[in-house]
Every structure is written in structure tokens, then in C-alpha cells.
Amino acid sequence: MTPEDRSFYDAKHQWMLQTVPADGKLRLSDGRELSLFVGTKPEEAGPKYLVIVLPGGGYEFCSFSEDHIVGRYFARAGMDAVTLNYPNIDVDEARASGRGIASEVLHAVGSLIKELRTRSELGFAQHKIVLCGFSAGGHLAASMCTLYQHELLSDLWGTNPNLLRPDGAILCYPVISADPGLAHEVTFTCFTGSAAPQAWAPYSCERNVTAATPPMFIWHTATDTSVAVGNSLVMAQALWQYGVPCELQVKARGEHGASLACDEIDPGIFSHADPYLEPWFNAAVTFVRTFVR
């Protein structure tokens, strides 16, 4: 990513923060402060939910259109939400240095889940934790759901690997597979620090699914030219194979990066408003309330 690109996205991100202000901050022990959106709780009894929103951006940046606005929508649906702008790296730097950010991004999510579950003063210890990831953020969400017991995270889970297991996930046009024809090169290069497909294979999410993988709602568009829809297909097939609850929605058309596809944000900035795609969000909320219990 060029300095001009980064400047553009930084400016748009600041615009989004001002346009969709958070309800408060979630202060973590390592000094991080995450934007917190407080849900309007439904009257019916049932689990409480905390959604961790993971924007896309190929692990090079975090997309402003998949950040605060998503947290606000979950709050309106009665679910608390936090937005996590996890570590990024420029793909050219990753290639040149051989340094990937797999450990950094998994630790960013894993340490957050651990604190939510072990620090009762935060108020979320009894909440069901759901990851909502877009594109590369979808890869991060799916990786956390399938690698929570990985040795990369052993310093966090100690003697209880299940401590870091999310209760569910929503994957939006996710990067999933390292297979030829499906792999998104930038995402996997930034994640692993290698441009060699053989280095990507251990992080091909569909290969790491087990019967213990949490339920997932997945949606994609058939005409996505950035991340092939086959990524979502192979993930859903793997989940079904192991009997894990999964709903897959494939829309007949639509651009990559549509986010909520709502028209609430100025179309001059948020260019993917599409009423055909927009219903995915309510379907995802219904799935979570049904299968993440």
C-alpha cells in the first residue's frame, strides 16, 4: 500500500469515527481502548451477546466501512459490540522481510477474548462471544475459530485451550482457502510473511475445521472478483461435514467490500449501498440467536 493510499484510508477512518461515534470505550489491561457499542437489549430472556467486529483490508489496513457502522448496527439489534483494529503490515514489507503477522493478529483477538471472559469487571464474562469478520477479517475470524488451541496461542490459554474459543462467527465474503484458484495472495502473504503457497497451507481455514468449531453464518456474492466465492463454499462444506451448524448465503451479484450494503452512510463515501444485499445482516442476527446459545 502506498503512503498516499494509507493517508486516504486514515482520513476516511477518522471521518467514520466522527460520523458514527461509539457509546464508550472498553479499556484493556494492555492499554488498548476499543470502541464499544451498547446493545438495546430485547425483552425476551436468553443469552447476551458481545460481537467483536474485524474489518477487512487484506491485513494491510482496516476498512473504515466495516468498522464503527457495523458495531452500531449490532447494538441496534440488541447485541453489544466492540470494533478491533488489529495489527497490519504492507504486503511489500511482508515479502521483503519474511515477517508475517499471524501471531500478532491472533494474539490481538485471543487476548481480547481472554479478558472478556476472565475480567468480570468489564461486564461481559457471561456473554456469548461472536466474531464478525469481513474479507481478511473473515480469515482472522475463521482462523480464531479453528486455531484457538494452536501453540501460537498457548501463552494465552495456559491449561485451558477452550478459553479462547469463540461461541460463534459471522463471515462476510471471507478469505478462507490457500488452494490454487481460491487463495487471496495479499492476505496470505501478509499473514505468513511468505509468497510461497506451501507456507499458506497450515492457515487454510477449511482444513482446520473440527466438530468443535463454533457455528458460523457465511455470506458471499457469486460475482466477487476480489475474493472468489469458492472460499465460502469450501468453508461451509467443511463445517457441514463435521456437523457444525452453518448457514451459507450466496448472492447472485454484488461487489466485494459491500459491508452492510446500507444507504445510511453518504453514498459518496460508502459506495456499496445495495438493497439486494442488505438483508444479510438480519439473517445473521437470527442465525446467532438461534444457534449460539
Side-chain angles (χ1 to χ4, degrees):
M1 178 181 290
T2 67
E4 291 77 14
D5 289 337
R6 189 163 297 280
S7 177
F8 170 82
Y9 282 109
D10 286 346
K12 296 307 180 188
H13 197 90
Q14 290 302 313
W15 176 87
M16 177 62 74
L17 300 188
Q18 296 170 15
T19 304
V20 188
D23 296 326
K25 295 291 184 182
L26 184 70
R27 293 176 175 83
L28 304 181
S29 58
D30 61 4
R32 286 182 294 171
E33 288 191 343
L34 308 183
S35 295
L36 172 65
F37 298 86
V38 180
T40 303
K41 300 298 185 294
E43 294 182 1
E44 66 269 17
K48 296 180 179 179
Y49 299 93
L50 187 284
V51 181
I52 300 174
V53 179
L54 304 172
Y59 289 126
E60 287 196 288
F61 65 98
C62 287
S63 170
F64 65 90
S65 65
E66 297 160 348
D67 188 352
H68 270 209
I69 183 63
V70 179
R72 172 61 64 213
Y73 262 59
F74 278 113
R76 290 176 183 171
M79 298 179 176
D80 298 316
V82 294
T83 56
L84 179 60
N85 289 302
Y86 48 85
N88 297 155
I89 189 172
D90 183 82
V91 67
D92 291 332
E93 179 185 343
R95 290 193 189 101
S97 66
R99 181 179 76 86
I101 57 172
S103 180
E104 292 177 63
V105 295
L106 288 171
H107 271 78
V109 181
S111 62
L112 172 55
I113 294 174
K114 180 178 180 179
E115 289 209 38
L116 290 168
R117 287 185 168 149
T118 60
R119 290 183 58 200
S120 58
E121 67 272 22
L122 294 178
F124 300 103
Q126 302 305 314
H127 283 54
K128 298 296 183 181
I129 297 175
V130 177
L131 307 183
C132 179
F134 297 81
S135 194
H139 179 264
L140 178 53
S143 295
M144 196 69 216
C145 288
T146 54
L147 298 176
Y148 58 89
Q149 296 180 321
H150 197 280
E151 62 183 9
L152 278 175
L153 295 167
S154 61
D155 59 313
L156 290 178
W157 51 252
T159 59
N160 180 16
N162 288 321
L163 178 65
L164 307 185
R165 178 186 179 273
D167 295 298
I170 300 168
L171 308 183
C172 310
Y173 38 89
V175 175
I176 293 292
S177 182
D179 287 354
L182 294 180
H184 188 260
E185 180 182 356
V186 170
T187 295
F188 277 104
T189 300
C190 290
F191 194 74
T192 64
S194 173
Q198 59 267 32
W200 305 345
Y203 306 105
S204 192
C205 302
E206 81 282 9
R207 303 181 190 181
N208 298 322
V209 170
T210 70
T213 301
M216 294 188 185
F217 177 94
I218 308 172
W219 80 276
H220 218 120
T221 67
T223 57
D224 191 326
T225 57
S226 296
V227 176
V229 67
N231 282 270
S232 289
L233 298 178
V234 296
M235 190 64 181
Q237 288 170 340
L239 292 164
W240 293 329
Q241 178 183 346
Y242 280 93
V244 178
C246 171
E247 179 174 339
L248 171 64
Q249 290 194 3
V250 177
K251 302 293 188 178
R253 57 116 178 103
E255 297 179 45
H256 186 78
S259 184
L260 293 164
C262 64
D263 59 5
E264 184 170 328
I265 302 301
D266 177 3
I269 300 296
F270 185 77
S271 60
H272 298 292
D274 188 337
Y276 170 63
L277 302 179
E278 189 174 1
W280 78 261
F281 180 81
N282 287 336
V285 169
T286 299
F287 176 88
V288 168
R289 292 198 183 281
T290 302
F291 292 100
V292 182
R293 307 292 296 178

